Amino acid sequence: MQYHTKGMDRATALWDVVGVGLQPILRTLNAMIPRVARTRARPARLPRPPPPQPETSPAELEAIVSRVDASKAQWTRVPARERARLLKDCTQNFIRMAREFAEAGAVAKGAYEGGLGDEMAALLPVVTGLYELERAMACNGQPRPVQLRRREGGQWVARVWPENMVSIFFPRFQGEVWIQPGREPSQGELYRRKAEGAPPHAGRVSLVLGAGNQVSVVALDILHKLIVCDEVVVVKMNPVNDYLGPLLRRAFGPLVEAGFVEFAYGGAGVGKALCSHPLIASIHLTGSADTYNAIVWGGRDVPRVGEPPLKKEVTAELGNVTPYIIVPGPWSDDDIAFQANNVAAGLVQNNGHNCLGAEIVITPRDWPLREKFMEALRTALSTLSQRAPWYPGSDAKFAAFRSKFPAAEELGRPVPPEALEGAPGPFKPQPWLLAAGLSPEEASTQVENWCGVLQEVALPGPADPASFLGAAAEYANESCWGSLACAVFIHPETRAAHPAAWDTALASLRYGSVCVNTPCVTGYAATPLVWGAYPGNTPQDIGSGDSYVHNTLLFDHPEKSICIAPWAYAPQPLWSAFQIGLEDAIPPAMRYITTQHKPVIALMHLIHVAVLALLGSVPPPKARRRGGKAKAKGKAAAPAAAPAGARE
């Protein structure tokens, strides 16, 4: 098969120009909106986890596996266009059920300034992933990328996001899938073989062990096994969020009714029974390396030598100690405030219970603007509400961090007393902890904290951008556990002044997702990008995992994804903790994304989204002077004056 480099897709280029043209208008409108007109922050709601789903009995489990197994051959014969129809029906279900999903998540996890916004935003990747896979199926598994090019040395790079009218939403963003060196940018091998007349295979049953933190992880893992791997799916919900199981079953109703997907509930015993079931051919999990080792090797601490005892295909995504690299440059005060807010967003989303959550901020120790940036980060975290940890075990990790770093600063706006009344059990708000000014030797880089804590590592050595880029990339690669995702914040003038150093650093970062000038959640949420560990892990040393999901353009040989955001964006973007309008803005955003084939209707939805996003865009907090620094352990930081619309 021959591949040729090509220019950017014309429709995408056109809508990108429109989006760029709208940015100064949106920026002006954002500045003109009076405080009284902006969305008001919702009152805090602390977590009240629902009762667990009844455990699936052995008899029910056998019936579920047998029912799905009976449909595995039929699924392999379902044509791509029929799959597209099934996915379209599921997309409409998720859009209709969005508020129901979000309310269930808010009850279990709590809700703060943005109300249901966090949980609404968690559904957006599901809807976009469904829509993009529907389009891929309409193209028989061969959707065209926005652009194909070759890097120096011949490595293929596919620009995949944003595409078409999504570019108005994300102007000047650039999402790329880098193909493994020496491989071609082929797509949808499964569908190519079928088109060439290869007989359908006998089918396989896959077990998806659902993640406990985000609904989108479970949903997108299901879609990956169905569409990319051509396997029917039994989903074992994590007990932490099994309340979402009945909702997911309804949303995936067309696939459930046809026997291609089914759900089971319970703890480790149910999981073990399914993993060892003779009809289960493959397993995919999103979780921890301990869980992977228990499944594959029969125990978390058993020797991992030779071939694993479990003779099944097991793929996994297992987290990361996520580094955020701050490259020195000519940052203005506005630049510092905006990017500090981006780093804060990387920490606070989902109360810090994310495999991609910001864990370590890497700065140049001698950068003249370093302390100014850190003050802006303190201010951002001080302005945001403290939140209650809801994930099991996060309290212990929080306490361990505070014990290791007793001088860590306590930040965050206290939750009002009335919200604390009747709060159940351990679900009490905790401050954001910041351990700043650490040397590389002092930092804790081998354990994922999975809670609201952050370290700043100040690297010694030259503070010039080129030298720092090399040192920071080496530190992230060699010292921070895992290879799932990282973020780099670099001024465009710095990139332009040091193109060779920048290209070398970008290529050398051994992470499955590298996000530039945006939190790592953007690389996760942009589902045409691949999501998973950098290639090279083995069952003996699994690290962050050994597979990719998302990948809605179905590339056969991805190496990593690069997601580059513009240096500035107006109004406050979807991922910002200071965008509190998402509860209302996400539903029309879903309709905008899924009606691009009807531009007039899509643009009407876009106007609706823009108005709601402008009203929900909280002005960035101004950095405090050094004298306003948060106090160390023992007292919560006095909150900075809450910006308009952010008071509870």
Side-chain angles (χ1 to χ4, degrees):
M1 187 176 294
Q2 296 295 316
Y3 300 94
H4 304 283
T5 57
K6 69 181 185 70
M8 188 173 174
D9 172 74
R10 290 183 179 179
T12 300
L14 171 64
W15 293 119
D16 183 70
V17 169
V18 173
V20 170
L22 287 173
Q23 277 293 291
I25 298 172
L26 292 171
R27 193 172 293 112
T28 300
L29 290 173
N30 191 40
M32 292 173 58
I33 295 175
R35 293 186 178 188
V36 294
R38 294 190 187 271
T39 301
R40 306 302 294 176
R42 278 76 168 183
R45 298 165 54 187
L46 297 186
R48 296 179 180 275
Q53 293 293 309
E55 183 172 290
T56 305
S57 70
E60 292 172 320
L61 213 58
E62 190 63 38
I64 285 171
V65 176
S66 296
R67 183 164 63 250
V68 174
D69 180 72
S71 301
K72 65 184 181 184
Q74 179 189 350
W75 174 246
T76 66
R77 294 191 295 269
V78 175
R81 290 192 177 275
E82 175 61 16
R83 294 184 179 198
R85 186 193 66 77
L86 290 167
L87 294 174
K88 184 174 183 178
D89 290 345
C90 292
T91 304
Q92 296 308 309
N93 286 348
F94 273 99
I95 293 174
R96 282 193 297 267
M97 295 174 63
R99 183 162 290 272
E100 194 174 353
F101 270 105
E103 179 60 36
V107 169
K109 301 178 182 181
Y112 300 88
E113 293 93 342
L116 302 182
D118 271 9
E119 296 306 309
M120 281 286 189
L123 290 166
L124 194 58
V126 183
V127 170
T128 57
L130 279 162
Y131 175 75
E132 290 151 3
L133 287 172
E134 175 197 335
R135 291 178 56 251
M137 292 298 92
C139 299
N140 199 36
Q142 310 296 310
R144 294 181 61 186
V146 174
Q147 185 180 28
L148 274 177
R149 66 179 177 89
R150 284 185 185 266
R151 284 172 40 78
E152 186 176 346
Q155 183 179 19
W156 282 101
V157 174
R159 184 167 176 173
V160 297
W161 181 86
E163 190 261 347
N164 200 19
M165 292 185 75
V166 178
S167 299
I168 302 180
F169 231 64
F170 299 102
R172 290 294 184 264
F173 283 72
Q174 185 172 325
E176 300 176 337
V177 174
W178 289 21
I179 306 302
Q180 294 174 22
R183 307 301 293 265
E184 297 295 305
S186 62
Q187 298 166 265
E189 180 184 3
L190 163 71
Y191 298 94
R192 291 201 316 274
R193 290 201 313 266
K194 290 184 179 183
E196 292 165 358
H201 61 83
R204 300 205 306 173
V205 180
S206 176
L207 169 64
V208 168
L209 296 172
N213 62 329
Q214 294 276 25
V215 62
S216 57
V217 179
V218 187
L220 291 168
D221 286 356
I222 293 169
L223 291 170
H224 175 79
K225 297 303 289 186
L226 281 167
I227 303 300
V228 179
C229 301
D230 211 23
E231 298 174 1
V232 291
V233 179
V234 175
V235 186
K236 207 285 285 185
M237 294 297 294
N238 191 305
V240 177
N241 64 356
D242 63 7
Y243 59 88
L244 293 170
L247 297 177
L248 284 166
R249 193 174 189 275
R250 283 168 48 203
F252 281 118
L255 294 163
V256 172
E257 291 164 11
F260 304 138
V261 178
E262 195 49 273
F263 291 79
Y265 305 92
V270 172
K272 184 176 181 180
L274 285 168
C275 288
S276 61
H277 197 288
L279 296 180
I280 297 291
S282 72
I283 301 165
H284 180 79
L285 72 115
T286 299
S288 71
D290 282 345
T291 302
Y292 175 92
N293 290 332
I295 291 170
V296 173
W297 294 93
R300 300 182 177 190
D301 300 315
V302 301
R304 297 188 293 276
V305 180
E307 291 300 313
L310 183 66
K311 305 304 180 184
K312 295 185 180 185
E313 176 189 311
V314 183
T315 54
E317 186 265 274
L318 304 173
N320 197 153
V321 174
T322 312
Y324 275 43
I325 299 171
I326 311 299
V327 182
W331 295 33
S332 68
D333 287 351
D334 286 343
D335 295 338
I336 288 172
F338 185 80
Q339 303 303 352
N341 293 346
N342 273 335
V343 175
L347 171 66
V348 306
Q349 206 277 331
N350 206 35
N351 299 23
H353 305 318
N354 280 338
C355 59
L356 51 73
E359 296 248 0
I360 294 179
V361 178
I362 303 173
T363 61
R365 186 185 62 190
D366 297 327
W367 181 35
L369 297 178
R370 172 180 157 250
E371 192 51 48
K372 203 168 191 178
F373 174 82
M374 292 306 299
E375 282 301 307
L377 179 55
R378 292 182 179 99
T379 299
L381 292 173
S382 294
T383 308
L384 295 168
S385 177
Q386 297 177 0
R387 301 188 180 189
W390 52 267
Y391 205 93
S394 59
D395 266 336
K397 292 195 172 188
F398 185 90
F401 184 92
R402 185 142 57 180
S403 176
K404 183 173 180 61
F405 301 106
E409 302 163 50
E410 298 184 351
L411 305 167
R413 189 160 46 88
V415 171
E418 57 269 22
L420 301 175
E421 295 176 4
F427 299 108
K428 305 294 185 184
Q430 292 176 340
W432 309 109
L433 294 185
L434 173 63
L438 303 176
S439 69
E441 296 75 25
E442 292 171 324
S444 174
T445 62
Q446 293 299 301
V447 177
E448 192 177 15
N449 286 296
W450 196 257
C451 60
V453 302
L454 188 64
Q455 302 171 69
E456 182 224 359
V457 174
L459 287 187
D464 66 282
S467 298
F468 176 75
L469 273 167
E474 182 180 5
Y475 184 78
N477 284 336
E478 303 300 333
S479 297
C480 298
W481 177 83
S483 60
L484 179 63
C486 71
V488 184
F489 294 86
I490 180 169
H491 195 284
E493 291 180 16
T494 305
R495 286 174 55 189
H498 303 278
W502 169 240
D503 187 72
T504 299
L506 204 59
S508 68
L509 284 164
R510 296 192 299 271
Y511 289 85
S513 174
V514 179
C515 290
V516 181
N517 299 335
T518 183
C520 292
V521 68
T522 310
Y524 169 86
T527 47
L529 301 175
V530 297
W531 183 255
Y534 190 80
N537 294 324
T538 66
Q540 292 75 22
D541 184 10
I542 194 59
S544 289
D546 59 355
S547 68
Y548 284 113
V549 292
H550 301 188
N551 188 24
T552 55
L553 271 70
L554 312 183
F555 285 100
D556 297 324
H557 310 293
E559 179 191 42
K560 66 200 254 186
S561 284
I562 308 292
C563 181
I564 302 176
W567 186 241
Y569 183 92
Q572 289 287 343
L574 295 177
W575 61 81
S576 172
F578 295 94
Q579 174 53 265
I580 62 172
L582 299 184
E583 178 175 328
D584 299 318
I586 291 295
M590 292 175 175
R591 290 189 283 272
Y592 168 71
I593 288 168
T594 57
T595 56
Q596 295 176 66
H597 56 292
K598 299 177 180 178
V600 174
I601 295 175
L603 288 172
M604 291 174 64
H605 291 312
L606 178 65
I607 293 170
H608 191 189
V609 175
V611 170
L612 294 170
L614 284 165
L615 294 177
S617 181
V618 174
K622 298 295 183 182
R624 298 167 298 166
R625 295 184 181 276
R626 183 67 178 172
K629 181 178 176 180
K631 300 212 178 155
K633 179 184 174 185
K635 288 187 179 179
R647 298 183 189 277
E648 292 182 315

